[in-house]
């Protein structure tokens, strides 16, 4: 069975591919990490809904902001790439293009790890489509949209603010790129609402 440390290593390899603008290998790496986690979860399912452990890796139940901590640390430490935006519209739609890395020595609860892996896989497809690194960009955008939505629902138990910002923003960008302007505007309106009410959230 693949260890959690190996899955984290594969996830962080995905970040290295992002930094090299190698989005096809990022898709392969992130998908492999996600598949490995699913297989590990099937081999060792959680005993209940409150605590999801695989092997020795778990986080304290009170550590509800760990996901936002990883989002913030990744944004600060990651090498910057060129900003990806959609300039075909009067208002720019900027992709949140930071993959989320995990410290190799970290203990991570399964929901947090799942959310990170799903988000990074979505981002890999999204950036591959935007950069034309895939022969089927529209298909990649639809894949990214489905994965962003899945990542959003995986995080429902903690509602990590920074993670939610990233997911909602990128869903808005994807929908606009697919020509679904009304749906895109709904996401950006909701994002504006989150920003307006962010003072009620405790990030870290």
């Amino acid at each position: 069975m693949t260890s959690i440390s190996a899955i984290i290593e594969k996830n962080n390899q995905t970040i290295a591919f992002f930094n090299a603008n190698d989005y096809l290998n990022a898709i392969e790496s992130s998908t492999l990490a996600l598949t490995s986690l699913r297989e590990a979860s099937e081999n060792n399912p959680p005993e209940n809904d409150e605590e999801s452990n695989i092997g020795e890796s778990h986080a304290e139940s009170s550590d509800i902001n760990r996901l936002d901590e990883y989002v913030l640390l990744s944004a600060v430490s990651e090498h910057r790439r060129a900003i990806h935006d959609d300039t075909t519209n009067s208002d720019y739609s900027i992709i949140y293009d930071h993959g989320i890395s995990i410290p190799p020595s970290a203990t991570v609860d399964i929901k947090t790890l799942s959310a990170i892996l799903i988000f990074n896989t979505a981002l890999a497809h999204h950036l591959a489509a935007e950069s034309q690194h895939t022969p089927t960009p529209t298909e990649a955008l639809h894949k990214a949209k489905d994965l962003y939505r899945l990542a959003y629902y995986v995080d429902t138990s903690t509602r990590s603010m920074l993670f939610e910002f990233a997911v909602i923003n990128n869903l808005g960008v994807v929908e606009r790129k697919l020509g679904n302007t009304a749906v895109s505007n709904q996401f950006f309106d909701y994002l504006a609402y989150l920003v307006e009410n962010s003072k009620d959230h405790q990030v870290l």
Side-chain angles (χ1 to χ4, degrees), residues 84-156:
H84 300 82
D85 57 35
D86 179 2
T87 57
T88 61
N89 298 281
S90 58
D91 57 328
Y92 286 6
S93 302
I94 300 176
I95 301 171
Y96 182 86
D97 64 352
H98 294 287
I100 304 172
S101 60
I102 305 170
S105 60
T107 55
V108 189
D109 68 272
I110 300 309
K111 285 187 177 180
T112 296
L113 183 56
S114 297
I116 290 172
L117 297 183
I118 294 168
F119 177 84
N120 286 341
T121 307
L123 183 61
H125 283 87
H126 193 173
L127 294 180
E130 289 283 349
S131 60
Q132 301 294 316
H133 283 196
T134 173
T136 55
T138 300
E139 181 180 334
L141 286 173
H142 280 287
K143 183 71 171 179
K145 180 175 74 170
D146 291 343
L147 287 166
Y148 283 137
R149 286 181 175 271
L150 181 58
Y152 179 85
Y153 287 112
V154 166
D155 184 45
T156 53

Side-chain angles (χ1 to χ4, degrees), residues 4-34:
I4 291 298
S5 59
I7 294 172
I8 291 175
E9 181 180 356
K10 181 60 66 175
N11 175 75
N12 292 345
Q13 185 178 35
T14 299
I15 306 305
F17 287 131
F18 282 152
N19 290 332
N21 299 322
D22 188 352
Y23 304 126
L24 293 183
N25 273 323
I27 290 174
E28 181 178 351
S29 177
S30 60
T31 301
L32 179 59
L34 196 53

Side-chain angles (χ1 to χ4, degrees), residues 161 165 193-203:
M161 186 183 69
F165 281 5
Y193 167 82
L194 291 177
V195 172
E196 180 66 22
N197 292 275
S198 61
K199 61 183 179 181
D200 297 328
H201 294 260
Q202 182 179 352
V203 179

Side-chain angles (χ1 to χ4, degrees), residues 156-175:
T156 53
S157 61
T158 61
R159 263 302 157 252
S160 306
M161 186 183 69
L162 297 180
F163 183 77
E164 187 174 9
F165 281 5
V167 172
I168 295 299
N169 177 80
N170 285 5
L171 275 168
V173 174
V174 169
E175 292 287 10

